[in-house]
Amino acid sequence: MQVKYQVEGGDFTSAGYASSQVKKLLKQLNVAPKVIKNVVVALYEAEVNIVAHAYRGVIEVELDPQKITLVLEDEGPGIPNIDLAMQEGFSTASPAVREMGFGAGMGLPNIKRNVDDMQLESQVDKGTRLTLIKFFNA
Amino acid sequence: MNTQHMNHALKLDADKCIGCTHCIKVCPTEAIRVVNGKANVQAERCVDCGECVRACPYNAFYVDEDDWALKEQYKYRVALFPSVFIGQFARNHSQESIYGAILKLGFTHVYEVEQPIALLKEITKEYCADEEKTKPFISSYCPAVVRLIQLKFPSLTENIINIKAPHDLSANYIKRSLMNRGAKEDEIGIFYISPCVAKMAAVKNPIGEKQSIINGVLNMKEAYNRVMKVLETGEVEAVATDFMKRLTRDGVKWGLTTGESKHAKGKSMAIDGIHNVIKFLDRLENDEAPWLHFLEVRACDLSCAGGILLTGNRFLTDDRLRKRAQKFPAAGKVEDLQVTVDLDELRKKLYTDPIPPKPIMMLDTDMGRALEKLARARNIMCHLPGIDCGACGAPTCQALAEDMVQAKAKMSDCIFLQQTWQRQGKISAQKAFDNMENKWGKNRFMPDCNKKGAKNESL
């Protein structure tokens, strides 16, 4: 089953909508609470990343009985140095974004910790594509 | 009275219920459907929050209580109530005269639940000092919230503090101290006057413990009426300052919002109102408040001052109690309780078994089948109007779609779909009308002036 969510850059008030909806779906599927938490924490971080850094994006959710696949594709500035972005504490978030409690630089490493597989592709000035996979009975 | 029995303390008077759908909309767990024109509460989904009782324009829900005469079989008849009870009375009635009136109703002892709160404070402090336990600690004070977490937020059950509610503590405490003064256990009857349906259900059927220590549960609304009646006779002696001697400022405020959270070490928060609680727990599940150490969560707006069995205005009750609290000293050390009971023995009785999750959201225990049902429900949603009118008896179109994939409802339950099918010539007008009567009862849509807002409203 596939579900899609649109994400608007800069719209912090709506950040978290997709992760809340996905959480509801996973509860309906009887996925273990710990796994749900992992997925939701990862997706929420990734969703906020689009809101904080990109112009707009789409989240594609693919569910099958074994796993959830999340593809987050955005149009935005892209990430010039992925290795650097993966370091804990590294952040390019503006002071205004940090003021709202986001942008502590824990995002990408935290996402990686919570999923079984993470692929990050990015093109500067074009956008970023993040693919996350989490198995249900890991 | 045509009574439809349900689990829990909440009952529906089917004669009064007209299936108006107010209750199905406010239920936080979508536990209610209108079936054959009457509200039907699914017991396994109900958390006893009482939102349906508040929303019902026809007073069709009522709350069962034990027989007041039950106490006569005991030599020691204890009225046990939370401090909010006193907060309902206007200032011209002193706390001493209210105590006097309760004794006049046939009780021999009067206790406020929050009297031994120093002990609960200490036990909770010890419990929350354990670094190994999952944080934030979530208070087990409000039984409606505990059940809500079990059903809707199963991953948070391990955060719930496994300590009993104050009424358990005080009931144990009272029993011990009366026994120390020579009473036999079977001579003591403890009657809890409950501010809400959730506490009534919790006393009758406690979560995380085997059996309740309380002998009878009474409805606070009924108790208020009875006490008022005695007070109005003007023949009440002000009594019982002795009964109040262990009452503390912290105890009186315990049932109010921040009553618990302000004693917590570390960062704490207090959330009241069940829909606020749901929104916050949703965030908590996403790990959005990792700094939080202690969470007080209460189903009613303004906590127990807004309990559904209270009379009067919750803001006035809250205000009176906060003023009343100032008359008492702060809760000190447990030794200051000067109790004659064995504290270590009492302490042992105050822990509950871990609270098990009871998830209700899943569509099927098999993930493959659940996924199929989920996909089907989303497909059905394409056909439903999405205006959540409630005329099918389900709170939202989505709830109806989910009922359909569970084989609990059918497409023809939607009155808009029926209209469309009729226009398309797929069903006859008669068939459409029959469908509606099947759902709402025979002759339900004939003119009837005996309803709210109609000609004979008062009849």
Side-chain angles (χ1 to χ4, degrees):
Chain A
M1 197 182 83
Q2 266 199 355
V3 196
K4 268 189 194 180
Y5 301 99
Q6 308 282 339
V7 183
E8 275 305 306
D11 185 8
F12 284 92
T13 52
S14 306
Y17 177 76
S19 35
S20 270
Q21 292 304 109
V22 168
K23 177 158 76 178
K24 199 181 163 202
L25 294 176
L26 295 178
K27 283 185 179 181
Q28 288 181 309
L29 291 182
N30 197 25
V31 174
K34 282 220 154 56
V35 177
I36 296 184
K37 192 174 172 182
N38 292 142
V39 173
V40 169
V41 169
L43 179 55
Y44 180 70
E45 289 278 6
E47 202 181 341
V48 170
N49 277 348
I50 297 181
V51 175
H53 302 291
Y55 314 130
R56 68 192 65 81
V58 178
I59 300 175
E60 270 186 38
V61 183
E62 170 81 42
L63 283 161
D64 66 55
Q66 285 76 42
K67 64 182 188 301
I68 181 168
T69 310
L70 301 158
V71 181
L72 297 98
E73 203 161 3
D74 71 48
E75 294 167 39
I79 304 170
N81 186 338
I82 290 183
D83 289 340
L84 195 56
M86 286 302 296
Q87 280 175 23
E88 292 204 6
F90 178 81
S91 176
T92 57
S94 67
V97 168
R98 286 169 196 252
E99 185 70 18
M100 296 169 88
F102 302 108
M106 305 303 279
L108 285 171
N110 196 26
I111 293 171
K112 198 178 165 90
R113 258 199 303 278
N114 278 288
V115 294
D116 295 316
D117 187 50
M118 170 174 144
Q119 302 292 332
L120 184 61
E121 302 148 59
S122 191
Q123 265 184 294
V124 175
D125 292 334
K126 280 250 166 94
T128 301
R129 183 189 163 95
L130 179 69
T131 308
L132 309 173
I133 295 177
K134 179 79 184 176
F135 289 93
F136 294 146
N137 44 8
Chain B
M1 199 193 312
N2 182 359
T3 308
Q4 181 198 328
H5 278 275
M6 300 181 226
N7 254 0
H8 313 276
L10 200 65
K11 301 247 152 55
L12 180 80
D13 180 348
D15 285 340
K16 288 186 179 168
C17 176
I18 67 156
C20 69
T21 75
H22 283 79
C23 58
I24 65 175
K25 300 273 185 187
V26 297
C27 178
T29 56
E30 298 190 331
I32 315 177
R33 300 289 181 275
V34 178
V35 181
N36 296 323
K38 307 286 172 196
N40 186 288
V41 182
Q42 298 165 24
E44 70 283 2
R45 278 180 162 249
C46 174
V47 298
D48 301 294
C49 67
E51 287 300 303
C52 50
V53 183
R54 285 187 221 277
C56 181
Y58 301 94
N59 290 320
F61 289 99
Y62 65 98
V63 178
D64 219 5
E65 62 171 348
D66 285 322
D67 187 352
W68 281 66
L70 209 63
K71 65 180 183 302
E72 308 311 330
Q73 59 184 284
Y74 299 96
K75 185 172 170 194
Y76 303 93
R77 304 177 291 278
V78 181
L80 175 66
F81 54 84
S83 285
V84 288
F85 182 72
I86 303 284
Q88 302 173 97
F89 295 89
R91 288 208 180 86
N92 56 330
H93 299 296
S94 69
Q95 52 184 6
E96 289 79 10
S97 61
I98 298 166
Y99 270 55
I102 295 171
L103 290 175
K104 265 213 147 150
L105 290 173
F107 292 97
T108 58
H109 293 77
V110 187
Y111 278 98
E112 289 183 46
V113 167
E114 294 85 354
Q115 263 159 302
I117 217 72
L119 183 58
L120 190 63
K121 227 177 105 178
E122 190 182 278
I123 293 173
T124 308
K125 199 171 138 195
E126 281 167 18
Y127 187 99
C128 295
D130 188 345
E131 285 298 320
E132 300 289 294
K133 292 200 170 83
T134 316
K135 276 168 263 323
F137 294 101
I138 300 179
S139 166
S140 59
Y141 175 88
C142 175
V145 172
V146 170
R147 227 177 115 71
L148 178 80
I149 292 174
Q150 288 183 288
L151 303 184
K152 254 189 123 139
F153 302 96
S155 73
L156 295 175
T157 46
E158 55 188 64
N159 297 59
I160 300 172
I161 297 176
N162 294 329
I163 294 178
K164 290 182 190 174
H167 66 258
D168 275 295
L169 161 65
S170 25
N172 272 296
Y173 170 77
I174 292 160
K175 198 161 251 186
R176 295 291 129 198
S177 41
L178 285 174
M179 281 161 71
N180 279 348
R181 279 181 261 156
K184 291 201 194 73
E185 188 161 7
D186 57 6
E187 290 176 328
I188 307 168
I190 301 178
F191 292 83
Y192 176 65
I193 301 174
S194 181
C196 64
V197 197
K199 291 225 184 253
M200 284 185 129
V203 167
K204 289 275 177 198
N205 187 14
I207 305 170
E209 49 174 316
K210 309 283 173 308
Q211 203 198 339
S212 178
I213 184 177
I214 296 196
N215 304 85
V217 194
L218 305 171
N219 181 332
M220 194 174 279
K221 221 163 218 142
E222 176 65 22
Y224 178 83
N225 284 338
R226 289 185 187 224
V227 167
M228 268 313 263
K229 213 168 172 183
V230 176
L231 287 173
E232 291 303 319
T233 61
E235 294 161 9
V236 183
E237 287 170 46
V239 267
T241 39
D242 199 38
F243 282 130
M244 286 181 216
K245 72 179 174 202
R246 291 192 185 90
L247 208 53
T248 60
R249 189 185 301 161
D250 300 327
V252 171
K253 291 198 278 197
W254 198 261
L256 305 178
T257 301
T258 70
E260 291 173 276
S261 64
K262 70 170 180 198
H263 300 295
K265 279 244 150 72
K267 177 72 185 142
S268 68
M269 282 180 82
I271 318 278
D272 57 8
I274 192 136
H275 294 284
N276 297 332
V277 169
I278 289 175
K279 284 194 187 115
F280 190 80
L281 294 180
D282 194 42
R283 297 293 179 115
L284 199 62
E285 245 188 353
N286 300 359
D287 236 3
E288 284 183 58
W291 35 264
L292 189 59
H293 192 76
F294 180 91
L295 182 64
E296 172 192 307
V297 261
R298 315 274 179 81
C300 295
D301 192 4
L302 287 193
S303 296
C304 295
I308 64 156
L309 300 179
L310 264 71
T311 304
N313 181 281
R314 65 184 59 172
F315 294 96
L316 291 173
T317 302
D318 180 90
D319 185 64
R320 284 187 202 114
L321 285 164
R322 288 185 193 277
K323 289 212 171 70
R324 179 183 182 226
Q326 289 164 10
K327 294 183 194 156
F328 296 94
K333 295 204 173 65
V334 173
E335 300 84 70
D336 299 341
L337 283 174
Q338 296 175 344
V339 285
T340 48
V341 303
D342 183 345
L343 282 176
D344 288 331
E345 190 201 352
L346 191 56
R347 230 176 253 271
K348 277 187 218 132
K349 290 184 183 297
L350 295 180
Y351 297 97
T352 63
D353 297 338
I355 312 288
K358 290 182 180 167
I360 48 159
M361 311 272 281
M362 60 174 157
L363 293 171
D364 204 297
T365 45
D366 176 83
M367 221 175 270
R369 274 202 299 271
L371 195 57
E372 255 167 56
K373 286 181 180 177
L374 196 57
R376 266 176 59 214
R378 294 180 77 84
N379 190 29
I380 290 170
M381 275 305 288
C382 301
H383 299 273
L384 296 177
I387 57 171
D388 299 340
C389 69
C392 59
T396 60
C397 292
Q398 201 174 344
L400 177 66
E402 283 161 18
D403 283 356
M404 281 191 218
V405 299
Q406 303 281 44
K408 292 176 187 161
K410 18 185 217 314
M411 277 294 204
S412 58
D413 288 338
C414 174
I415 58 166
F416 295 94
L417 273 187
Q418 283 204 33
Q419 289 279 318
T420 313
W421 291 348
Q422 234 178 296
R423 193 178 62 91
Q424 294 168 347
K426 287 183 180 163
I427 57 169
S428 68
Q430 186 61 45
K431 175 72 183 155
F433 191 78
D434 290 348
N435 278 344
M436 225 156 68
E437 276 200 334
N438 283 342
K439 193 83 196 170
W440 293 90
K442 255 212 144 17
N443 299 326
R444 176 66 178 78
F445 299 103
M446 301 305 276
D448 175 10
C449 293
N450 300 324
K451 68 163 81 74
K452 209 167 186 168
K455 256 187 349 199
N456 306 337
E457 174 167 354
S458 57
L459 292 181

